Structure formats: C-alpha cells, structure tokens
Amino acid sequence: MGKMKWLGWIGILLSSVFFTACSDDTENNGLNGGAGSLLVAPEVAAYGGGGQAIAGEDNITDISACLFEDGVLTQVFENLQQTDGGYHVSLNAKKGTFYMLANTDGLIDLNGLKGCSEEEWLKTAFPVKDGKAVGFLTGKMDLATRAQSGQTLVLKRGVARFDLTLSGNIAVNSLTLKNAAQSVYLFPQAEGVKSPAGVVRKDVTAHFDEVLTTSTSGVLYVYEQENEGLEVSVEAMVDGQSKVLTKTLEEKVLKRNSIYTLTLRKDTLSSEVSLDVLAWEDGGNTQLQPDLDSQITIDKNLSSLPDGVQMTANNTVTVPSRALDFTLALDCDDELEFVSSENPCVTVEAVSSGVVGENKFVVHKALFPPGYPEEEVKVFFRRKGLNESYEEDCVKLILQENPIRLEGFTFDLQDYTCDFGRYIDNEMGRFTLPEGLELVAEFPEEDKWVKVEQVADAANTYRVLAGWKPNDPKADGRKQSAKLVVRRTADQQEMETYTVVRRNYGLPVTLLNGIWWCRYNALGNSTDFKDQILCAEDPARKLGKTVQEYLNTCSQEEYLHLWNAAYEGNDGIALKAVSKDNKITLDGWRSSESEHINKQEPAALAPDGYEMPTFNDYRSIFGAFVIPTAWAEFTPQIGGTAYRSAIILEKRSGLQLDGQDLGELWTFSVQSVKNQGEEPLTFYGVGCQWDGSGVNRNWFLLACYNPNVTGWLVKGSNASLEHNGAGANNTRIVRFKKSDVEYIYQ
C-alpha cells in the first residue's frame, strides 16, 4: 500500500465518527441494536503546548484497529483502506473499547494477541525499527459512551520530537540522546510516563549529511520514556572550532506527542555556547526568551553624543578613533544590564537617570589604535531577570579607523603595546601622521635605545630605529621599552601614546679593524641567546682581563665550558668532546654530513642581530694567504686599507676531560698595532674532527660565510695559517660578528 499523507490534521476536523446500519433499519443505525458498520475518520492530536507539525511528519503507511469486549480482544482489523473520508469496520457488538493504530505494520501481531486481556494489551511494548523510533500513532474510544454524532477518534503520536534553535556562528554536525529507551508502551499508562520493564537503553544519534547552520525542526525523534540518565549531546563547530556540548535533562521523562527544543546560543559574557532544553508541553521558560520585535534601540533625544559621534541607525552609533565618553539612552520594555562588548576599547557602566523605565549607560570608548580596520562592535545587554545575554539584545558601535598609518608595528588593543618578543635593531617600522602631528620617543627610566627620524622624501613619515649598545651590562634578556608619542606640532600636546618593547640581549664584542667581533665562541644552540655568554656575564671583563688572559688562569671547569663546542652541518647545535676508547672525540659527529656550514646564509645560525663573518672579514685581520709561522707582527691589507696587527700565541697544559689529559691546548689573539681595535681578539676551542680518529687538537677550522666554501685553518702541527675549504663533515669553531646597525647609543 502506498503512503498516504495526512497533512493539516492539527486544528482541522476531518470528519465526525458516525455509524451507519448495514440496512436502512433505524434500529441498527449507530449500533443501537446488534451488529453494524462503523465509519471512523481519525484526527491527529496537536502537540503539547501548541507546537506545529512539519511537512511529511505525519505520513501514514498503514492503519489497523481492534475491539475489546468485556476486557478481551475479540476483533482485529488490519490494512484498513480509506473510503468515503474514513475507514469502515464491521463490528459484532455495540459496546466495548475500540483501539486504532497507525504505522505499526509488521511490528505488532494483532491476530496473535486475540483473546488477551485489555490489561495485558495496555502493557504491550512497541520496539524500534532499524535502531530508530517509529512514528506510530494510537487512539481509542469507548463505544458504550459514544455520542450519536460529532465524536472523533483522536490519535496521539507515540514519539517525542526534538527541534533545534541556533543563534550565532554555529554549525551542528550531529545530535545524540544518550541512554535512550529502545521500546515504548503502545498506549500511555494510567500512572504516568513509564518505560517497559527491562527496557534496553542505547545512545541514539542523528548525523546530518549537511551541517545545520539554521534553526531546524524535527532533528530527532525518540520514544516516550521514563529515564534517570537522559542526556543530550551536540557536536558542533562554533566560530570555526569543534565543540561537544552536553546537557542533562532536568526532567526524568520524555512525553509522547511533545516537542523539546534544543537551544544553542553564544553567551556574550563568556563567549561560550550554552545548550538548553525547553519542553513545549509545560511551556518551559518561553516567557524568558527575548522578543525580537522589541529589539533594543537608541533614543537619540535622551542620549548625549559629543562632536564626531553620529547615530547612523536606530541601534548604531559611529565613533571616531580618539578616546571619548558619551551617554546612550536605550529604548526597551525591560530593565537592562550591561554584559560585555566585543572590543576591549569599549566599556560601559549604567547611570541612574532618576526616571523610571529609562535605561541610560555611559560608554567609555578608549583610543582605537592605528593598524586596525574600521570595526563594527556589538555591545551586549541583558534583560534583568535573565541569566544570559543574546545576539538580539545589543547596540552597535562603528569604530572608525585611526588615520595614522603604520609599517612594521601592531599595537595591542588593550595596552597599545607592540612587543616584538625578541631582540631587534635597525628600523622597526614607520609612522605616517596626519598634518599637524609629529612623533617623538620618550624613555621613562630607560636608556635611549630608540631613535625617531623624519623621512625626507615622504610626507610626514617617521622611521623608528632600534639601537645597539656595545657590551651593554644590562643586555641580559630583560624587557626594554620606549614610548612613541604622537603630539601636536604647534603646542606639543600629547595626542596618542604607544609602547614598543624588545628583549635586550647582547653578546660581548671587541672592535677590530672596523668590525665588532664577538669575544667568545658560540655555545649550545648557536641561535639562542640563552645558550651564549651574554654581556652581563662576561667572565673575562668582570676580572678586567682579555679572553686569552682569562683562559690562561681560569679553573678547568670554566675553561672547558668555553672550549667544548664545535659545529657541523646546518642545525646550529654544538657537538661536545668526550673521552671514548682512549681518544677525544666529538659526541654525535656525522661522517655523512652533506650540508656545508660555510654555505649557510650569514644570519641563519646566529642569534638576532648577529651573523657569521665572511671570508673577507677574517682576511681583514689575518691578512695574506700565508702568515709567517713566527707569529710576529704582520700587515693584512684589504680594499686598499692596510691594517697592522700582531698575533700572540699562548699554551696551557694539565687540563682533563672525563679523566683523560687533553695535552697542550693553544689560544691565539689578534691585536691591532695601529689603534684599529680596542683589545685583542682571542681564538680557542675544540680542534677539528674530520674522521673517526677523533679531534685533532689545536687545528682550528673557523666557520665563515663563503658559498665557495673556502675558509681559514690554523694548523696545530706547525702553527701556520692557510685557506682551506675542508669537507662538510669537518667540524668548525663558530665565532659571530655584530650585524651592521644604524644607531649605536651610549
């Protein structure tokens, strides 16, 4: 039998229940006498609370009926066909209880129940089909008390329906009712909602092929049930983030023929999405939901708006970027409470107007910093007596874009700070200001590490430079800040103030032949300041010594800490020498290394603000291809400039590593003789390793930037210096120099 749609049953009387005799005898008319024909035109009950049916929800596939006489099932009518606007059944008696069932075909064996008592019949359990609740309907009437005309047989749905209401950027993937009953009594029980004895309970999930982004009715149907463990779980995407929201039903029953509405709303106070369950049958808390027809609006006449603030719609105000306060009077039938705003630049406090029914609030609008586009900000309120605020209860502020243009800076909305979170120098960024304004730097209790200079060929544009202080004893990684003040040129009145922050790190350096060389070799992770010797920790300078003098006199532990680091490849992680099989070898040395350290970009392996010296940088202090082995004065020359330098060789013995004697260890210093440097530059470190035989002590292979790979090698065998490219797996000492910097401060 094909499906028959019973659409529009709710609130529509299809027909009265009436009886016609099988003949024209009036004694049989309406079953006042013996047997007769009954024409039944059923009507579907409205949902509890007046909820509306949805299209296709009440499709009928089959109709059956049965008659109980004197409490016993005597007649069964299956596969009834609709004729004359109803269903004809032939009855043997004029009294008893008549039951009608829809959509139960194949799930209830009515003929097999013949002879059962009505008490047993009312305890009949109805199962799920394919794991889902069946949309069956049932109804009954007492023939003995039947009116002569105008009576209908009302069918009630055996299931409860779940609807979904969404507010905000929410997309629902699935809905689960946990521990749902898998069977139900065919008919409501006299003692109230009950589930069959021994009922099986399982999670029931509705998966949606296309995610639900709008409010949807009929997302899930389940049987009426009594259940202590009813729990609803919704899997959703909220503002692009996956969330699972769970709610335990406060009531312990689900009633047939009722609608339960799941409401997902984003609470503007917490930005969290709440899941609420509202039952239609008892009305729930429908009176506490906001009425969209009474949306909050702004009363312009009662509001106080300063210059530049304009009301552009009945609930929208446009505000300039500067800091200001103004008063809004809100027109609403309810008393309002401020909840939150979407932007920290906007805060609100209620003010008493002294007039009953007026909602007045002072809006504190802080400076809207440059670099942010014009933004529509919702300011949320809550109607007094509600626990949550809703999307509809808001006014809108249009925060106009700041006219200042930025390059390189992003200032936080709350404290107007740009924290680079690292060491940075040279140009950090630029400000382009409207005419009549200028930019200056201020240093509350801080060194003047920032320089502001106007760009000559750009209209009112200012460069902001971060400087460098050689051997700054305070360069220990602390935060270093400065104020960037925008002020009027005419009277220097401060208009806007921003803060820039960096981490003040610095490596000890010495100036030699025009280059700021780092005094110590790289250690550990060569890119990480925290692994290096910092200015504030320079052990030699603390003692008033050169690095070479310090290495000649320090403890073994201090010596090995500075000495024990060599590099290969491009990972910037130091290899450490260990004693193994009676030889000193670098732990983790890679014979198969293919990345040549001299080919890496100059800054690739260095901390911020430093870089690998080039081949020619070393030539400026070492000179020609071969240096006399006497380690006397020599005259390197590069670019037509002659530098006179001297090399000083020192040796130290008696040091041990893991109990093995290291023998004679060399250090050598290069010193300017013609006042081209402040102090000697000292070289030291673990010797080169190029095979499995271990470290070749006092063979110093110096890493440098040179795509042609050629570098500098001091041969420990004869104290000679030569150019040598060496292989990628030859380990090197890494010594950095300070990258060029525009501004050096004192």
Side-chain angles (χ1 to χ4, degrees):
M1 180 176 67
K3 290 186 177 180
M4 299 174 289
K5 287 189 177 181
W6 289 9
L7 300 179
W9 275 349
I10 297 177
I12 300 176
L13 179 64
L14 299 180
S15 175
S16 298
V17 176
F18 58 93
F19 299 94
T20 57
C22 295
S23 66
D24 290 336
D25 296 337
T26 58
E27 65 177 1
N28 288 329
N29 197 14
L31 285 180
N32 290 323
S37 177
L38 174 65
L39 180 61
V40 184
E43 176 182 294
V44 176
Y47 275 111
Q52 299 297 307
I54 57 178
E57 183 175 58
D58 295 326
N59 287 349
I60 301 300
T61 60
D62 58 88
I63 289 284
S64 301
C66 58
L67 176 66
F68 280 80
E69 298 176 80
D70 298 324
V72 177
L73 178 56
T74 59
Q75 281 188 275
V76 171
F77 311 93
E78 293 188 308
N79 296 319
L80 293 173
Q81 302 298 310
Q82 186 179 26
T83 59
D84 301 328
Y87 294 87
H88 283 280
V89 293
S90 297
L91 299 177
N92 297 326
K94 64 180 180 181
K95 63 179 180 178
T97 307
F98 184 79
Y99 291 88
M100 181 168 273
L101 304 88
N103 297 343
T104 61
D105 187 39
L107 298 173
I108 295 293
D109 183 6
L110 291 177
N111 284 308
L113 291 173
K114 274 187 177 181
C116 78
S117 69
E118 194 167 0
E119 183 179 350
E120 291 173 321
W121 165 249
L122 293 174
K123 291 296 183 183
T124 301
F126 189 72
V128 295
K129 184 178 181 180
D130 300 327
K132 296 181 179 180
V134 176
F136 75 97
L137 303 96
T138 60
K140 70 175 183 177
M141 65 180 176
D142 187 347
L143 298 182
T145 60
R146 174 193 59 80
Q148 289 296 316
S149 63
Q151 182 174 332
T152 59
L153 178 56
V154 178
L155 299 181
K156 269 193 171 185
R157 304 170 185 85
V159 295
R161 187 180 92 191
F162 281 88
D163 293 350
L164 186 65
T165 298
L166 302 179
S167 178
N169 185 15
I170 304 173
V172 175
N173 301 309
S174 67
L175 167 66
T176 299
L177 181 66
K178 297 187 177 181
N179 305 311
Q182 301 297 289
S183 61
V184 63
Y185 287 120
L186 266 177
F187 292 89
Q189 301 299 291
E191 64 270 32
V193 176
K194 296 289 182 183
S195 291
V199 64
V200 174
R201 302 185 190 276
K202 294 182 179 179
D203 293 353
V204 177
T205 301
H207 294 283
F208 308 117
D209 295 334
E210 294 185 7
V211 296
L212 303 183
T213 56
T214 58
S215 299
T216 306
S217 299
V219 293
L220 182 67
Y221 294 86
V222 295
Y223 286 147
E224 174 181 79
Q225 56 195 279
E226 176 190 28
N227 197 331
E228 292 287 335
L230 280 174
E231 191 175 83
V232 175
S233 178
V234 176
E235 181 183 343
M237 297 293 290
V238 180
D239 294 333
Q241 294 186 343
S242 179
K243 289 184 179 290
V244 176
L245 299 110
T246 302
K247 180 81 171 183
T248 300
L249 272 64
E250 294 181 4
E251 295 193 26
K252 306 306 179 185
V253 296
L254 289 179
K255 299 177 183 180
R256 68 181 68 208
N257 212 63
S258 296
I259 296 173
Y260 294 84
T261 300
L262 304 177
T263 303
L264 275 74
R265 290 182 183 270
K266 187 164 71 170
D267 188 323
T268 56
L269 184 60
S270 63
S271 295
E272 291 296 323
V273 172
S274 61
L275 170 62
D276 294 311
V277 183
L278 170 69
W280 272 94
E281 186 167 55
D282 60 10
N285 294 320
T286 54
Q287 72 278 8
L288 295 183
Q289 300 301 314
D291 181 1
L292 300 187
D293 293 333
S294 63
Q295 189 174 31
I296 294 173
T297 58
I298 300 171
D299 188 328
K300 185 176 181 180
N301 293 328
L302 295 179
S303 299
S304 178
L305 306 180
D307 291 342
V309 179
Q310 297 180 337
M311 187 171 167
T312 53
N314 62 3
N315 71 333
T316 304
V317 170
T318 299
V319 187
S321 64
R322 71 180 188 273
L324 47 79
D325 294 343
F326 55 93
T327 300
L328 290 181
L330 304 182
D331 187 5
C332 180
D333 294 336
D334 302 300
E335 185 177 347
L336 297 175
E337 301 171 337
F338 168 67
V339 176
S340 66
S341 72
E342 292 182 325
N343 189 298
C345 289
V346 177
T347 58
V348 177
E349 63 177 324
V351 293
S352 176
S353 65
V355 179
V356 177
E358 280 191 2
N359 289 295
K360 280 196 172 183
F361 297 87
V362 174
V363 179
H364 303 284
K365 189 269 171 183
L367 170 68
F368 194 45
Y372 293 88
E374 181 175 281
E375 180 181 349
E376 179 182 283
V377 175
K378 293 179 180 178
V379 179
F380 291 94
F381 297 86
R382 176 169 53 214
R383 297 166 192 249
K384 193 170 184 179
L386 295 185
N387 293 324
E388 296 178 344
S389 61
Y390 298 105
E391 185 75 17
E392 300 84 7
D393 287 346
C394 71
V395 295
K396 300 173 184 177
L397 304 183
I398 306 298
L399 303 186
Q400 291 185 318
E401 185 179 16
N402 194 304
I404 297 173
R405 296 292 174 260
L406 296 177
E407 296 177 40
F409 293 110
T410 300
F411 292 104
D412 184 86
L413 281 169
Q414 291 179 293
D415 58 11
Y416 310 118
T417 295
C418 178
D419 188 345
F420 286 93
R422 61 183 178 87
Y423 176 81
I424 184 174
D425 57 28
N426 290 318
E427 185 174 310
M428 293 183 288
R430 298 188 177 200
F431 278 64
T432 299
L433 306 178
E435 286 300 319
L437 299 179
E438 63 182 6
L439 184 70
V440 295
E442 295 181 355
F443 309 92
E445 301 179 358
E446 179 57 85
D447 294 333
K448 296 183 178 181
W449 65 278
V450 169
K451 180 180 180 182
V452 174
E453 61 181 25
Q454 192 166 4
V455 179
D457 56 352
N460 217 28
T461 296
Y462 294 81
R463 300 174 69 222
V464 182
L465 302 174
W468 171 67
K469 182 177 182 178
N471 298 309
D472 182 359
K474 293 182 285 187
D476 55 3
R478 68 189 177 90
K479 286 187 177 182
Q480 195 173 31
S481 64
K483 299 289 186 183
L484 300 177
V485 179
V486 178
R487 64 188 189 187
R488 282 206 297 251
T489 307
D491 57 10
Q492 298 188 349
Q493 179 180 344
E494 181 178 312
M495 303 300 293
E496 302 176 19
T497 300
Y498 303 96
T499 301
V500 60
V501 179
R502 73 173 179 185
R503 299 302 179 274
N504 186 25
Y505 280 109
L507 304 182
V509 292
T510 184
L511 182 62
L512 181 61
N513 292 356
I515 296 172
W516 288 99
W517 296 85
C518 289
R519 285 159 54 86
Y520 297 95
N521 293 342
L523 298 172
N525 182 343
S526 64
T527 65
D528 192 344
F529 277 111
K530 294 178 182 178
D531 283 356
Q532 312 310 312
I533 303 298
L534 300 179
C535 296
E537 303 163 355
D538 187 341
R541 187 159 280 144
K542 283 182 177 181
L543 297 175
K545 296 181 178 182
T546 67
V547 173
Q548 190 171 49
E549 290 170 343
Y550 174 76
L551 290 172
N552 286 340
T553 58
C554 67
S555 68
Q556 174 175 284
E557 181 182 15
E558 293 166 330
Y559 191 105
L560 293 180
H561 173 64
L562 297 178
W563 173 87
N564 198 359
Y567 295 81
E568 68 171 330
N570 63 353
D571 62 4
I573 303 301
L575 305 177
K576 285 183 170 291
V578 296
S579 175
K580 188 175 182 181
D581 299 329
N582 294 320
K583 62 183 178 183
I584 302 299
T585 186
L586 288 169
D587 189 26
W589 175 78
R590 304 177 293 274
S591 62
S592 60
E593 179 58 58
S594 60
E595 292 289 340
H596 203 292
I597 198 169
N598 285 6
K599 290 185 176 182
Q600 309 312 308
E601 289 300 313
L605 302 180
D608 294 327
Y610 296 81
E611 61 188 64
M612 194 79 77
T614 66
F615 177 80
N616 283 336
D617 289 334
Y618 276 111
R619 175 174 281 173
S620 74
I621 60 172
F622 289 155
F625 184 80
V626 176
I627 295 178
T629 59
W631 297 92
E633 291 186 6
F634 64 98
T635 306
Q637 183 168 330
I638 181 169
T641 301
Y643 299 99
R644 187 160 181 78
S645 303
I647 287 184
I648 305 166
L649 179 64
E650 296 282 357
K651 304 175 182 180
R652 181 171 175 178
S653 301
L655 300 175
Q656 293 187 341
L657 180 65
D658 300 334
Q660 183 172 345
D661 189 78
L662 292 175
E664 188 176 73
L665 297 180
W666 291 3
T667 62
F668 71 93
S669 292
V670 180
Q671 184 173 9
S672 172
V673 178
K674 295 187 67 177
N675 298 319
Q676 296 293 332
E678 296 177 332
E679 58 184 316
L681 179 62
T682 302
F683 292 91
Y684 58 91
V686 176
C688 178
Q689 179 168 340
W690 56 76
D691 59 28
S693 62
V695 170
N696 295 277
R697 273 162 282 180
N698 302 325
W699 287 62
F700 299 127
L701 187 58
L702 305 177
C704 65
Y705 172 65
N706 184 1
N708 295 322
V709 308
T710 301
W712 295 87
L713 171 68
V714 175
K715 285 187 174 181
S717 57
N718 58 10
S720 65
L721 178 68
E722 65 178 44
H723 297 172
N724 194 316
N729 65 353
N730 283 224
T731 63
R732 289 163 171 79
I733 295 167
V734 170
R735 179 67 60 87
F736 296 123
K737 70 171 184 176
K738 181 69 185 75
S739 301
D740 290 339
V741 62
E742 286 188 64
Y743 171 52
I744 295 179
Y745 65 95
Q746 299 300 316

mmCIF file of all heavy atoms in Angstrom, residues 686-709:
data_model
loop_
_atom_site.group_PDB
_atom_site.id
_atom_site.type_symbol
_atom_site.label_atom_id
_atom_site.label_comp_id
_atom_site.label_asym_id
_atom_site.label_seq_id
_atom_site.Cartn_x
_atom_site.Cartn_y
_atom_site.Cartn_z
ATOM 1 N N VAL A 686 87.714 23.545 20.569
ATOM 2 C CA VAL A 686 87.946 22.141 20.220
ATOM 3 C C VAL A 686 88.531 22.080 18.819
ATOM 4 O O VAL A 686 88.061 22.754 17.907
ATOM 5 C CB VAL A 686 86.620 21.357 20.279
ATOM 6 C CG1 VAL A 686 86.827 19.915 19.835
ATOM 7 C CG2 VAL A 686 86.035 21.397 21.682
ATOM 8 N N GLY A 687 89.534 21.270 18.644
ATOM 9 C CA GLY A 687 90.137 21.114 17.323
ATOM 10 C C GLY A 687 89.191 20.450 16.343
ATOM 11 O O GLY A 687 88.142 19.916 16.697
ATOM 12 N N CYS A 688 89.588 20.474 15.097
ATOM 13 C CA CYS A 688 88.756 19.950 14.022
ATOM 14 C C CYS A 688 88.719 18.415 14.053
ATOM 15 O O CYS A 688 89.723 17.755 14.332
ATOM 16 C CB CYS A 688 89.321 20.437 12.685
ATOM 17 S SG CYS A 688 88.434 19.830 11.255
ATOM 18 N N GLN A 689 87.539 17.853 13.772
ATOM 19 C CA GLN A 689 87.421 16.400 13.574
ATOM 20 C C GLN A 689 86.920 16.146 12.170
ATOM 21 O O GLN A 689 85.905 16.701 11.762
ATOM 22 C CB GLN A 689 86.464 15.774 14.594
ATOM 23 C CG GLN A 689 86.308 14.259 14.405
ATOM 24 C CD GLN A 689 85.607 13.586 15.569
ATOM 25 O OE1 GLN A 689 85.544 14.127 16.666
ATOM 26 N NE2 GLN A 689 85.108 12.388 15.339
ATOM 27 N N TRP A 690 87.660 15.300 11.431
ATOM 28 C CA TRP A 690 87.233 15.005 10.067
ATOM 29 C C TRP A 690 87.112 13.512 9.793
ATOM 30 O O TRP A 690 86.735 13.098 8.707
ATOM 31 C CB TRP A 690 88.159 15.648 9.038
ATOM 32 C CG TRP A 690 89.614 15.274 9.191
ATOM 33 C CD1 TRP A 690 90.205 14.102 8.849
ATOM 34 C CD2 TRP A 690 90.655 16.096 9.712
ATOM 35 N NE1 TRP A 690 91.546 14.129 9.116
ATOM 36 C CE2 TRP A 690 91.861 15.351 9.651
ATOM 37 C CE3 TRP A 690 90.700 17.398 10.222
ATOM 38 C CZ2 TRP A 690 93.083 15.855 10.095
ATOM 39 C CZ3 TRP A 690 91.909 17.888 10.640
ATOM 40 C CH2 TRP A 690 93.091 17.124 10.582
ATOM 41 N N ASP A 691 87.444 12.685 10.794
ATOM 42 C CA ASP A 691 87.262 11.242 10.607
ATOM 43 C C ASP A 691 87.055 10.593 11.972
ATOM 44 O O ASP A 691 86.957 11.275 12.997
ATOM 45 C CB ASP A 691 88.452 10.620 9.865
ATOM 46 C CG ASP A 691 89.780 10.828 10.575
ATOM 47 O OD1 ASP A 691 89.784 10.960 11.822
ATOM 48 O OD2 ASP A 691 90.815 10.851 9.903
ATOM 49 N N GLY A 692 87.022 9.278 11.973
ATOM 50 C CA GLY A 692 86.720 8.552 13.195
ATOM 51 C C GLY A 692 87.845 8.487 14.197
ATOM 52 O O GLY A 692 87.663 7.908 15.286
ATOM 53 N N SER A 693 88.997 9.083 13.860
ATOM 54 C CA SER A 693 90.128 9.014 14.795
ATOM 55 C C SER A 693 90.012 10.039 15.918
ATOM 56 O O SER A 693 90.822 10.044 16.843
ATOM 57 C CB SER A 693 91.437 9.227 14.031
ATOM 58 O OG SER A 693 91.456 10.511 13.423
ATOM 59 N N GLY A 694 89.000 10.911 15.834
ATOM 60 C CA GLY A 694 88.774 11.859 16.910
ATOM 61 C C GLY A 694 89.206 13.261 16.579
ATOM 62 O O GLY A 694 89.494 13.611 15.426
ATOM 63 N N VAL A 695 89.303 14.085 17.634
ATOM 64 C CA VAL A 695 89.608 15.503 17.495
ATOM 65 C C VAL A 695 91.100 15.701 17.256
ATOM 66 O O VAL A 695 91.939 15.095 17.921
ATOM 67 C CB VAL A 695 89.171 16.264 18.759
ATOM 68 C CG1 VAL A 695 89.697 17.693 18.735
ATOM 69 C CG2 VAL A 695 87.655 16.252 18.885
ATOM 70 N N ASN A 696 91.412 16.570 16.294
ATOM 71 C CA ASN A 696 92.793 16.972 16.041
ATOM 72 C C ASN A 696 93.020 18.296 16.766
ATOM 73 O O ASN A 696 92.726 19.373 16.242
ATOM 74 C CB ASN A 696 93.035 17.121 14.533
ATOM 75 C CG ASN A 696 92.914 15.802 13.810
ATOM 76 O OD1 ASN A 696 93.852 15.026 13.759
ATOM 77 N ND2 ASN A 696 91.723 15.551 13.271
ATOM 78 N N ARG A 697 93.497 18.158 17.997
ATOM 79 C CA ARG A 697 93.612 19.331 18.852
ATOM 80 C C ARG A 697 94.546 20.386 18.264
ATOM 81 O O ARG A 697 95.563 20.057 17.663
ATOM 82 C CB ARG A 697 94.087 18.908 20.237
ATOM 83 C CG ARG A 697 92.930 18.508 21.155
ATOM 84 C CD ARG A 697 93.384 17.696 22.326
ATOM 85 N NE ARG A 697 93.639 16.311 21.939
ATOM 86 C CZ ARG A 697 94.052 15.365 22.770
ATOM 87 N NH1 ARG A 697 94.263 15.657 24.032
ATOM 88 N NH2 ARG A 697 94.250 14.139 22.346
ATOM 89 N N ASN A 698 94.116 21.639 18.453
ATOM 90 C CA ASN A 698 94.861 22.818 18.012
ATOM 91 C C ASN A 698 94.871 22.986 16.496
ATOM 92 O O ASN A 698 95.648 23.792 15.972
ATOM 93 C CB ASN A 698 96.299 22.789 18.559
ATOM 94 C CG ASN A 698 96.313 22.728 20.074
ATOM 95 O OD1 ASN A 698 95.454 23.312 20.731
ATOM 96 N ND2 ASN A 698 97.270 21.987 20.633
ATOM 97 N N TRP A 699 94.008 22.229 15.796
ATOM 98 C CA TRP A 699 93.733 22.518 14.391
ATOM 99 C C TRP A 699 92.412 23.301 14.383
ATOM 100 O O TRP A 699 91.332 22.734 14.500
ATOM 101 C CB TRP A 699 93.576 21.240 13.565
ATOM 102 C CG TRP A 699 94.875 20.522 13.315
ATOM 103 C CD1 TRP A 699 95.700 19.988 14.245
ATOM 104 C CD2 TRP A 699 95.474 20.300 12.044
ATOM 105 N NE1 TRP A 699 96.794 19.427 13.646
ATOM 106 C CE2 TRP A 699 96.682 19.599 12.279
ATOM 107 C CE3 TRP A 699 95.137 20.596 10.721
ATOM 108 C CZ2 TRP A 699 97.524 19.205 11.246
ATOM 109 C CZ3 TRP A 699 95.973 20.188 9.703
ATOM 110 C CH2 TRP A 699 97.155 19.505 9.966
ATOM 111 N N PHE A 700 92.503 24.626 14.243
ATOM 112 C CA PHE A 700 91.333 25.484 14.336
ATOM 113 C C PHE A 700 90.775 25.758 12.942
ATOM 114 O O PHE A 700 91.366 26.525 12.173
ATOM 115 C CB PHE A 700 91.681 26.816 15.007
ATOM 116 C CG PHE A 700 92.182 26.673 16.415
ATOM 117 C CD1 PHE A 700 93.386 27.249 16.804
ATOM 118 C CD2 PHE A 700 91.457 25.967 17.362
ATOM 119 C CE1 PHE A 700 93.845 27.120 18.098
ATOM 120 C CE2 PHE A 700 91.911 25.845 18.661
ATOM 121 C CZ PHE A 700 93.115 26.412 19.033
ATOM 122 N N LEU A 701 89.666 25.121 12.617
ATOM 123 C CA LEU A 701 88.953 25.401 11.370
ATOM 124 C C LEU A 701 87.828 26.366 11.717
ATOM 125 O O LEU A 701 86.935 26.046 12.506
ATOM 126 C CB LEU A 701 88.391 24.104 10.776
ATOM 127 C CG LEU A 701 87.767 24.199 9.376
ATOM 128 C CD1 LEU A 701 88.776 24.722 8.357
ATOM 129 C CD2 LEU A 701 87.239 22.831 8.943
ATOM 130 N N LEU A 702 87.903 27.597 11.149
ATOM 131 C CA LEU A 702 86.986 28.670 11.528
ATOM 132 C C LEU A 702 85.836 28.771 10.527
ATOM 133 O O LEU A 702 86.066 28.957 9.326
ATOM 134 C CB LEU A 702 87.730 30.007 11.582
ATOM 135 C CG LEU A 702 88.971 30.036 12.496
ATOM 136 C CD1 LEU A 702 89.658 31.385 12.396
ATOM 137 C CD2 LEU A 702 88.588 29.734 13.929
ATOM 138 N N ALA A 703 84.600 28.638 11.017
ATOM 139 C CA ALA A 703 83.435 28.777 10.152
ATOM 140 C C ALA A 703 83.336 30.211 9.651
ATOM 141 O O ALA A 703 83.588 31.168 10.389
ATOM 142 C CB ALA A 703 82.167 28.408 10.914
ATOM 143 N N CYS A 704 82.957 30.381 8.394
ATOM 144 C CA CYS A 704 82.738 31.705 7.823
ATOM 145 C C CYS A 704 81.742 31.566 6.685
ATOM 146 O O CYS A 704 81.507 30.471 6.177
ATOM 147 C CB CYS A 704 84.047 32.326 7.318
ATOM 148 S SG CYS A 704 84.801 31.441 5.936
ATOM 149 N N TYR A 705 81.146 32.689 6.316
ATOM 150 C CA TYR A 705 80.215 32.649 5.194
ATOM 151 C C TYR A 705 81.000 32.785 3.902
ATOM 152 O O TYR A 705 81.660 33.796 3.648
ATOM 153 C CB TYR A 705 79.180 33.767 5.292
ATOM 154 C CG TYR A 705 78.321 33.874 4.049
ATOM 155 C CD1 TYR A 705 77.464 32.840 3.684
ATOM 156 C CD2 TYR A 705 78.399 34.992 3.222
ATOM 157 C CE1 TYR A 705 76.686 32.915 2.546
ATOM 158 C CE2 TYR A 705 77.622 35.081 2.077
ATOM 159 C CZ TYR A 705 76.768 34.039 1.740
ATOM 160 O OH TYR A 705 76.016 34.108 0.603
ATOM 161 N N ASN A 706 80.910 31.756 3.057
ATOM 162 C CA ASN A 706 81.567 31.768 1.760
ATOM 163 C C ASN A 706 80.950 30.652 0.915
ATOM 164 O O ASN A 706 81.244 29.477 1.128
ATOM 165 C CB ASN A 706 83.072 31.549 1.895
ATOM 166 C CG ASN A 706 83.789 31.668 0.543
ATOM 167 O OD1 ASN A 706 83.162 31.938 -0.479
ATOM 168 N ND2 ASN A 706 85.093 31.459 0.554
ATOM 169 N N PRO A 707 80.048 30.986 -0.018
ATOM 170 C CA PRO A 707 79.420 29.944 -0.838
ATOM 171 C C PRO A 707 80.423 29.064 -1.575
ATOM 172 O O PRO A 707 80.095 27.939 -1.957
ATOM 173 C CB PRO A 707 78.554 30.753 -1.817
ATOM 174 C CG PRO A 707 78.257 32.025 -1.098
ATOM 175 C CD PRO A 707 79.507 32.325 -0.314
ATOM 176 N N ASN A 708 81.662 29.585 -1.763
ATOM 177 C CA ASN A 708 82.707 28.777 -2.401
ATOM 178 C C ASN A 708 83.412 27.867 -1.405
ATOM 179 O O ASN A 708 84.408 27.223 -1.763
ATOM 180 C CB ASN A 708 83.726 29.689 -3.091
ATOM 181 C CG ASN A 708 83.105 30.464 -4.241
ATOM 182 O OD1 ASN A 708 82.268 29.938 -4.969
ATOM 183 N ND2 ASN A 708 83.501 31.717 -4.398
ATOM 184 N N VAL A 709 82.945 27.889 -0.159
ATOM 185 C CA VAL A 709 83.329 27.041 0.970
ATOM 186 C C VAL A 709 84.719 27.307 1.535
ATOM 187 O O VAL A 709 85.022 26.910 2.655
ATOM 188 C CB VAL A 709 83.161 25.528 0.681
ATOM 189 C CG1 VAL A 709 81.785 25.211 0.169
ATOM 190 C CG2 VAL A 709 84.267 24.980 -0.204
#
